[in-house]
Amino acid sequence: MAAEASATRSFSVPQERRLVTELPGPRSRELQERRIRSVSRGAGTLANIYMDHGSGAVLVDVDGNQIIDLGCGIGVTTIGHANPDVAAAVAEQVAKLTHTLFTVTPYENYVRVAEKLAEITPGDFEKHSVLVNSGAEAVENAAKIARRYTGRRALVVLDHAFHGRTNMTMAMTYRPWPEREGMGPFPGDIHSVPISYPFRDGLSGEEAAERAIDLIETHIGPREVAAFFAEPIQGDGGIIIPAPGYFARIAEYCRDNGIVFVADEIQAGIARTGAWYSIEHHGVVPDLVTSAKGIAGGMPLAAVTGRAEIMDAVQPGGIGGTFGGNPVSTAAALAVFDLIEREDLIGEAQRVERTLVERIGDWPDRFDVVGDVRGKGAMFGVELVQPGTRKPNPAALKHVLTYAAERGVIALDAGSWDSVLRLLPSVVISGALIDDAAGVLEEALATLPGSGDEPDPVPAS
């Protein structure tokens, strides 16, 4: 059913890679020169190829090149670029009301989004939500809510985590470069414990959980902990999927000790992994869930959703923000929810997973630089290593990303050592596009410096 839906869906841009200039093209190079003169270098980019429009899983740059997008703006355009239903919902709402501020004079869209989040997030208990602007803001509000509810101050996060770029969420983020270096001081009472990392630690989920719990017991004290934050599938950390049993034991420990368990679903949630939320793959029901990225089809929106008694612990006015739950963004979110259900985009994500496993699952056997391929739905990681070892290989990743971008395939970096190729395509990507993109990535792997072959300087057409 999902495969048929993908095959019959119509797009405004042909779903194929087509290059008419070198990449970056002349218009992109011109824009890059202007950008250098006017934009902070801190807002760095992976590929200096400037986009004009897109549809489905294909972007069209300012020079007319059609590029396969395996990044989705880091997981945002899960339903595809410029979906016409979302565009129509946004246009209709813009013509009616752009802003009023829900905490001054409310509107129905905000309520409808909160009602839908209560329906789709895990757990059959009463749930309430607050809507905000970004994933980092959602995480920060979840911390505030958990602290208010428990009366405790300490937060526990996982190694390799990424929770955002605000001052507080940078302190919750694992690696120092580039997000944290030189940005301190940071808030205290934030403690990192080990995640289950099957490719590297060799532990069962239960064993890895006990290792983390021991650190809480011996270094923090459970009665000091307000919340345990976890990405059920880590995105920026390298598509790390903890072993079975890890989160079940962690959640049990949190329940036994009055700790709020928060599933940070900013990147993995909203149908990307073949479920509404990636924590469902672990069979665990969290107390709070953060949503963002794919929730509104490219419009800025995020949310904290959770047990009513926890969410309502905050006094009126204690959470919220000027643009949080904006009428236009919430209209987009309602269209996204409808599309996911009407077009079975959860099933489409499962189709993408099957296609990726079939197409790239054997890379560790075919390429000595590939240590592991892992993923769920439309969220995959390819961990690159020094051949014959498990030592990270960031140079190989840089080569692969550059080679692919020059040939019209945009993929992402990830991992604490910058050595994981991250694939976050739209769930509507076709099998043909996956096959074409995988072929380009295979060329990149086969032409790593020192392999005896050098990359073809002429992009494939």
Side-chain angles (χ1 to χ4, degrees), residues 153-168:
R153 298 176 60 183
L155 305 176
V156 173
V157 296
L158 292 173
D159 291 354
H160 311 294
F162 181 90
H163 292 294
R165 298 172 190 265
T166 63
N167 187 259
M168 181 182 217

Side-chain angles (χ1 to χ4, degrees), residues 106-128:
Y107 36 88
E108 184 179 359
N109 280 359
Y110 192 116
V111 177
R112 290 178 62 196
V113 169
E115 289 172 337
K116 192 64 181 179
L117 287 168
E119 176 188 327
I120 65 176
T121 49
D124 58 4
F125 40 81
E126 183 181 358
K127 287 172 258 180
H128 292 175

Side-chain angles (χ1 to χ4, degrees), residues 22-232:
E22 74 279 16
L23 290 174
R27 179 72 175 134
S28 280
R29 294 197 299 271
E30 177 188 336
L31 285 169
Q32 178 64 9
E33 291 176 4
R34 289 169 55 189
R35 173 245 177 86
I36 291 170
R37 294 194 296 268
S38 61
V39 178
S40 168
R41 76 184 186 103
T45 52
L46 186 146
N48 296 318
I49 304 169
Y50 287 74
M51 300 306 163
D52 182 76
H53 61 283
S55 179
V58 172
L59 286 165
V60 183
D61 75 358
V62 291
D63 291 291
N65 298 293
Q66 293 183 189
I67 294 164
I68 302 173
D69 183 13
L70 300 182
C72 281
I74 313 188
V76 170
T77 56
T78 303
I79 62 168
H81 289 287
N83 181 278
D85 290 349
V86 174
V90 167
E92 180 181 357
Q93 181 59 53
V94 164
K96 291 168 58 179
L97 183 69
T98 57
H99 178 72
T100 169
L101 181 53
F102 186 78
T103 56
V104 175
T105 49
Y107 36 88
E108 184 179 359
N109 280 359
Y110 192 116
V111 177
R112 290 178 62 196
V113 169
E115 289 172 337
K116 192 64 181 179
L117 287 168
E119 176 188 327
I120 65 176
T121 49
D124 58 4
F125 40 81
E126 183 181 358
K127 287 172 258 180
H128 292 175
S129 291
V130 62
L131 304 185
V132 291
N133 301 297
S134 68
E137 193 177 350
V139 171
E140 192 147 332
N141 274 279
K144 289 162 57 179
I145 292 164
R147 283 171 163 169
R148 189 72 175 88
Y149 175 72
T150 62
R152 304 172 181 178
R153 298 176 60 183
L155 305 176
V156 173
V157 296
L158 292 173
D159 291 354
H160 311 294
F162 181 90
H163 292 294
R165 298 172 190 265
T166 63
N167 187 259
M168 181 182 217
T169 56
M170 278 194 294
M172 299 169 71
T173 291
Y174 180 71
R175 68 179 187 177
W177 178 265
E179 292 86 8
R180 291 194 291 118
E181 186 165 308
M183 301 290 189
F186 299 112
D189 277 331
I190 297 172
H191 309 270
S192 184
V193 300
I195 192 173
S196 166
Y197 195 156
F199 178 66
R200 294 196 169 275
D201 63 24
L203 300 176
S204 70
E206 292 82 359
E207 291 169 337
E210 292 301 334
R211 179 180 60 177
I213 288 168
D214 181 66
L215 278 175
I216 296 173
E217 290 282 339
T218 58
H219 295 293
I220 308 164
R223 288 183 295 277
E224 300 293 324
V225 180
F228 189 113
F229 280 79
E231 299 160 275

